[in-house]
Amino acid sequence: GENVEQHPSTLSVQEGDSAVIKCTYSDSASNYFPWYKQELGKRPQLIIDIRSNVGEKKDQRIAVTLNKTAKHFSLHITETQPEDSAVYFCAASRRDSSASKIIFGSGTRLSIRP
Amino acid sequence: GAGVSQSPSNKVTEKGKDVELRCDPISGHTALYWYRQRLGQGLEFLIYFQGNSAPDKSGLPSDRFSAERTGESVSTLTIQRTQQEDSAVYLCASSFWLQSSGNTIYFGEGSWLTVV
């Protein structure tokens, strides 16, 4: 069945440095890739998403890249700040099918060192 | 409503008792998901409802777990004969599929279940 793998499971970076989280997906028909951020004790919330008709999308310090051929997509956070500390989940689904279930990766716990 | 609403927000129950968790999705959302999240762990898929289609129950961990949804409204997750390993946050999420926007899902605050 469909699968999304996410790496690394934990990541610690110095404040101000960049962080990169990578995901791969198995269903070649997937064309919608959202990223969710879950702060401690809170619900996961969408922070950015990308559709398969583009290779990159940016929103301030956050960017997501997509390589459809390799079935890889990545989250890039630049100039990290303490408030970026959280668990990040990638996901994949098919935008052209109302019956498509969204599949989540296993999560990355990001810690920002002061 | 303005968001996905879940109740109760916290539940402490004795081992062996049954519990019911309720999810009220965003109005008009056709898809509804239940996830389990143990402390410090990822999102464990339980069940998926989409419109009038048969639900995807492939994530339910045992026959003690069941869920229902009436039409495109409220869903109830029932755990029978609770065990200590059932202690977790149970998250509900809903989405409205649009070809133009995909199926972004929105999570509720979760129901924190503790089995003692």
Side-chain angles (χ1 to χ4, degrees), chain A residues 44-102:
Chain A
Q45 293 195 300
L46 178 73
I47 54 170
I48 194 168
D49 57 18
I50 191 168
R51 291 161 176 76
S52 60
N53 57 343
V54 297
E56 184 176 8
K57 182 177 178 180
K58 289 184 179 180
D59 182 3
Q60 299 182 0
R61 297 186 296 107
I62 294 173
V64 57
T65 59
L66 171 65
N67 182 329
K68 282 188 64 179
T69 302
K71 293 191 282 188
H72 288 174
F73 59 112
S74 301
L75 178 72
H76 304 252
I77 306 174
T78 58
E79 301 173 19
T80 52
Q81 300 172 5
E83 55 264 35
D84 296 329
S85 294
V87 178
Y88 292 81
F89 294 97
C90 63
S93 72
R94 293 178 57 185
R95 186 162 61 91
D96 58 350
S97 170
S98 62
S100 174
K101 180 178 72 183
I102 194 167

Side-chain angles (χ1 to χ4, degrees), chain A residues 19-53:
Chain A
V20 180
I21 302 170
K22 299 181 179 181
C23 291
T24 61
Y25 59 99
S26 61
D27 183 1
S28 57
S30 294
N31 53 16
Y32 174 65
F33 307 94
W35 286 87
Y36 286 79
K37 175 183 180 182
Q38 186 179 30
E39 296 178 350
L40 190 62
K42 302 289 182 64
R43 74 182 97 183
Q45 293 195 300
L46 178 73
I47 54 170
I48 194 168
D49 57 18
I50 191 168
R51 291 161 176 76
S52 60
N53 57 343

